[in-house]
Every structure is written in structure tokens, then in C-alpha cells.
Amino acid sequence: MPRWRAARVDWFDTAKGFGFLAPARGPAVFVDYHVIDMPGYKTLTPGQPVVYTATDTGRGPEATRVIPYPATGATADSRPRRTPSRWRRTRCQARAA
């Protein structure tokens, strides 16, 4: 069973399709676009958090699977609220009256 680890993208060249991950401890991990697990165009942005599995090659660690998180840090729970500000004013005026 592979061990999942957390890291941030150090750099990724979209034109060439490879880059490096920077884990909290240990050496940089090589990543190729083939191992990025996401739909559509596979790319990473510097500073983006990821989880990955890796194998040790003769030249150093290489990612075998990478799952990126959104670069902005937005999650399903942090969606903007749709409550218009006029509703807030209406409720405040109703309490005062």
C-alpha cells in the first residue's frame, strides 16, 4: 500500500510537462504530468498544495500519483453567501420598530 504524503508545488513547467514538489521533509520530488490525477488539462501551479505517492528511482524520488488541491484554497464549504445586503437591512429595521 503506497504512503500518501503532503507537499507544495515548487515549480512546474506546463510547456514541458514536468516539475518538482517540495515536501515538508526530505528531498524534492520529480513529477511528470502523466501522474497528475485530475480531469482535463493536467497542470500544477507553484505553491499549490498536493498529496502524492512516490517511488525511489536511481536519480531520486519520483511521484507515482499526485492529487492537487485548488490553488486558491477554496473548498465547497467556503462558497460565497448569496444573501443580499438589503435583507439584512430589512431585518434590522424590523427589530428596531
Side-chain angles (χ1 to χ4, degrees):
M1 187 61 130
R3 183 173 171 216
W4 289 95
R5 298 181 178 145
R8 293 207 174 265
V9 178
D10 190 22
W11 68 270
F12 190 82
D13 188 338
T14 304
K16 295 181 180 179
F18 69 89
F20 285 91
L21 304 176
R25 285 182 266 158
V29 179
F30 177 81
V31 61
D32 188 60
Y33 81 96
H34 288 104
V35 299
I36 301 171
D37 190 8
M38 65 185 292
Y41 190 72
K42 299 172 190 260
T43 187
L44 300 170
T45 57
Q48 183 177 17
V50 297
V51 291
Y52 71 96
T53 58
T55 186
D56 195 16
T57 63
R59 297 186 288 177
E62 184 174 333
T64 54
R65 188 169 177 204
V66 176
I67 300 175
Y69 291 104
T72 60
T75 62
D77 296 329
S78 65
R79 287 177 277 168
R81 296 191 183 266
R82 295 179 143 195
T83 307
S85 60
R86 70 176 189 274
W87 290 355
R88 257 183 263 130
R89 284 194 305 258
T90 305
R91 282 186 270 153
C92 292
Q93 290 171 355
R95 287 184 193 166

